[in-house]
Amino acid sequence: MIVLVVAVLALGTLISVQSSEFQDGVKFSDDMKVHSAYYPVNGGMITVSPDVRMGFDSASPVSTITRSDLEKLKAAGMDVDSVSTIYIGFDSERQIAFRNRIYQLSIPAPAFEVDPTRSNCTAFSVDYTTPARIENVRFLLSDDGLSRLGMDFIERFAVEYSWATGMIILHDSVPEGFQKFCDIQSEISPVDVVLSPAPQYFLGMEVDGRSNDFLIDTSLSRITINVPVDDGVRARVSYPDPYRFRGDYVDASREPDQLVLIGGRAKYQDIHRSPAVDKGEGYFCNPLNMFVNDVVLDFPGKVFYIRRGSRMLHNPGFGLPAE
């Protein structure tokens, strides 16, 4: 009996260490002078290379990749290694997965170029031809047909959303010109300590007088804030407004001009009410949708920043969904 208990504890410790160190090797390549990578974003998906798009999914605890995207990145000259190992931990849906192989690869770290001959308009492009890389990124093989960068990867960076250019920019530190808006909370349960490569991250908000912690989900392309159907008193005015969520449409209603308090500031803003549950949470949000200006989610520092002079409004530009 004692031997069994010791064996179980040893296995739990091994799994816990494996999960917590899953992405410890991630880094910008040594040849990069500026540690930033620029990715166009559309519908919650970022363009990692000209023919590879991945979900940018902070609600997923782990990154996943399809065989097709592995081959495309390999053909583009990226380092792709298959590693035989035992992985016991959460998959992208926070369900326990057993894998005997993971994939470690580099992904492009594109540069941002502005056309100097066209100063009176927004003329820019993303350069995928540079040798810059983000190295040692680990993935599970996708079982739902979607490649995604999960929170295990995302939490390594200060994540900027550039509203004017429609890009996600990954930095190793917060760029200049931003001011603190509010703190970000992380939460990791005893089960997460053992099985999850990353904690869940939340923003504390008060919506129409009710305070809750909202799971941060950067894959939400259209909505800003979701509350459960049974959350308090419904607004007098609401409109049917289904939205796409995790591959399906959710029967949601939109309630205009609800009072939202966040970061010591108040604003009337549209919210959605639905029965959707996001990785176990009925309260969730995408803070990249909240402002008509640039924002930074600094996950290492656990701070949400906004560009000085930003207004707290619904940003219709994030993701430009086609729904």
Side-chain angles (χ1 to χ4, degrees):
M1 182 66 178
I2 295 176
V3 173
L4 178 60
V5 171
V6 171
V8 170
L9 290 174
L11 178 60
T13 301
L14 178 63
I15 296 171
S16 175
V17 170
Q18 165 208 263
S19 295
S20 64
E21 297 179 352
F22 192 67
Q23 296 286 16
D24 275 3
V26 169
K27 67 184 185 72
F28 287 102
S29 56
D30 294 335
D31 58 353
M32 293 181 65
K33 295 180 180 179
V34 179
H35 288 177
S36 298
Y38 296 77
Y39 301 101
V41 60
N42 182 291
M45 307 278 289
I46 64 172
T47 304
V48 174
S49 73
D51 60 351
V52 173
R53 298 177 72 233
M54 294 184 177
F56 195 74
D57 189 355
S58 65
S60 172
V62 68
S63 300
T64 66
I65 193 167
T66 64
R67 292 190 185 277
S68 174
D69 285 342
L70 278 171
E71 292 303 318
K72 290 175 181 177
L73 289 171
K74 188 174 182 178
M78 299 295 110
D79 297 324
V80 176
D81 293 319
S82 174
V83 181
S84 294
T85 186
I86 299 298
Y87 174 88
I88 304 174
F90 283 152
D91 63 12
S92 61
E93 293 299 320
R94 291 180 62 83
Q95 302 298 312
I96 297 177
F98 300 86
R99 304 291 171 87
N100 61 7
R101 189 171 299 277
I102 60 175
Y103 295 87
Q104 181 169 299
L105 54 147
S106 58
I107 61 174
F112 179 74
E113 294 187 340
V114 178
D115 187 345
T117 67
R118 303 173 64 186
S119 58
N120 293 325
C121 64
T122 304
F124 56 85
S125 61
V126 176
D127 182 8
Y128 290 98
T129 65
T130 70
R133 304 282 186 267
I134 298 178
E135 300 176 336
N136 306 322
V137 186
R138 290 187 162 191
F139 294 87
L140 300 183
L141 191 65
S142 176
D143 55 10
D144 62 1
L146 178 66
S147 296
R148 59 173 60 77
L149 293 169
M151 183 52 84
D152 60 325
F153 172 85
I154 294 171
E155 71 168 346
R156 306 283 166 169
F157 301 94
V159 178
E160 178 183 352
Y161 174 60
S162 172
W163 180 76
T165 62
M167 290 191 190
I168 291 290
I169 309 170
L170 303 181
H171 303 281
D172 63 357
S173 60
V174 179
E176 296 182 357
F178 289 87
Q179 63 185 20
K180 180 178 177 179
F181 185 67
C182 66
D183 291 323
I184 298 172
Q185 293 87 41
S186 64
E187 180 178 298
I188 187 161
S189 69
V191 173
D192 290 344
V193 169
V194 176
L195 296 174
S196 182
Q200 292 179 299
Y201 287 82
F202 296 81
L203 283 182
M205 287 189 284
E206 182 178 302
V207 178
D208 200 26
R210 298 178 297 279
S211 296
N212 287 284
D213 291 332
F214 288 74
L215 176 69
I216 296 174
D217 186 348
T218 54
S219 72
L220 302 171
S221 63
R222 184 163 68 85
I223 73 164
T224 299
I225 296 169
N226 186 93
V227 301
V229 172
D230 59 356
D231 173 76
V233 180
R234 289 174 179 259
R236 292 183 178 180
V237 178
S238 64
Y239 305 94
D241 189 19
Y243 64 86
R244 195 166 181 81
F245 176 75
R246 304 289 169 189
D248 295 308
Y249 279 92
V250 173
D251 184 17
S253 60
R254 177 172 55 86
E255 299 179 0
D257 298 329
Q258 295 298 297
L259 183 62
V260 176
L261 181 65
I262 175 175
R265 303 187 187 188
K267 182 67 182 178
Y268 286 98
Q269 183 165 325
D270 291 4
I271 68 168
H272 282 77
R273 187 184 299 271
S274 82
V277 178
D278 195 351
K279 306 299 189 295
E281 302 294 332
Y283 296 91
F284 51 89
C285 68
N286 187 352
L288 304 183
N289 284 341
M290 291 182 180
F291 297 85
V292 287
N293 211 326
D294 305 344
V295 300
V296 172
L297 291 168
D298 177 21
F299 289 107
K302 296 184 181 179
V303 176
F304 182 24
Y305 292 89
I306 60 174
R307 180 79 69 183
R308 292 186 179 93
S310 296
R311 293 176 293 149
M312 187 177 175
L313 295 172
H314 176 64
N315 172 12
F318 180 77
L320 299 174
E323 28 181 322

